[in-house]
Amino acid sequence: ALGSGMLESRKFASATSLLAGNVLFAGGFGGGAASATMKVFNWKLRQFESVTLPVGGFSGRSQHVGALLGDGTVLLAGGATADPAASVVPVTSNAVVFQLGARTGTTWAGSFLPVNGDMVVGRRGADNAVMMAGRPFIAGGFSGSGQTIATVEVYTPDRSRNAAPKAYVFLPSSDLSHAFGAPIAYRIIDAEGD
């Protein structure tokens, strides 16, 4: 059984598995506003615990990307800054890198590391995967008006810049179509060439 509930009602938060097995819940929408809080699910104690954040370090958002970076920090990027159910909702391109600190009692410390830039395109509901080079690949999502965003971005955590890579699509046969479940191979080329 769980030791405690989520501490704050929210939907559309990011849930990122951390290296130690805990899960970081960030942002979300609840109580009529986008949340700027974070909670940790402590898997050993099976309970949710609070995270103390520096003032102004994380703006309220939901439907954003949460990606674990290789050093254990978490990239939180984009998202809706108001009710995602509205017909038009403001979106942000803001990106932050969060580092979970020490635990005192049932509260964790948190801090934000310098970021080399925000996303190229503000979006909500995007998907992400960490590439072999350890960099998050952010794809798709929706604009504030709900229009599909058909672009991809790569976040480069160290000594470089964020860029929109080029995606080349290769269909094994001209008779196949992704609409019918045929495999599609993508080759992603980014500015650093890896």
Side-chain angles (χ1 to χ4, degrees), residues 27-186:
F29 186 82
S35 175
T37 64
M38 297 183 195
K39 307 294 181 214
V40 169
F41 179 73
N42 185 324
W43 73 275
K44 290 181 182 176
L45 300 176
R46 301 179 63 81
Q47 68 185 15
F48 288 91
E49 299 173 335
S50 294
V51 178
T52 302
L53 300 174
V55 175
F58 181 64
S59 57
R61 64 186 78 194
S62 64
Q63 296 183 318
H64 55 282
V65 168
L68 180 67
L69 302 178
D71 62 358
T73 59
V74 177
L75 171 70
L76 300 164
T81 59
D83 185 356
S87 58
V88 176
V89 59
V91 296
T92 183
S93 61
N94 175 258
V96 297
V97 174
F98 174 74
Q99 183 170 39
L100 188 64
R103 180 177 178 263
T104 304
T106 59
T107 303
W108 296 81
S111 61
F112 295 97
L113 303 179
V115 177
N116 64 353
D118 292 332
M119 293 189 347
V120 176
V121 176
R123 59 184 80 209
R124 62 188 173 111
D127 205 352
N128 77 90
V130 178
M131 299 188 312
M132 202 151 119
R135 297 182 306 166
F137 175 82
I138 301 168
F142 301 96
S143 69
S145 62
Q147 296 295 311
T148 302
I149 296 175
T151 62
V152 297
E153 298 184 39
V154 174
Y155 175 74
T156 306
D158 192 25
R159 296 184 304 276
S160 195
R161 61 179 164 60
N162 299 335
K166 297 175 184 170
Y168 299 97
V169 178
F170 171 73
L171 292 175
S173 164
S174 60
D175 297 331
L176 300 176
S177 168
H178 68 280
F180 302 108
I184 300 175
Y186 290 93

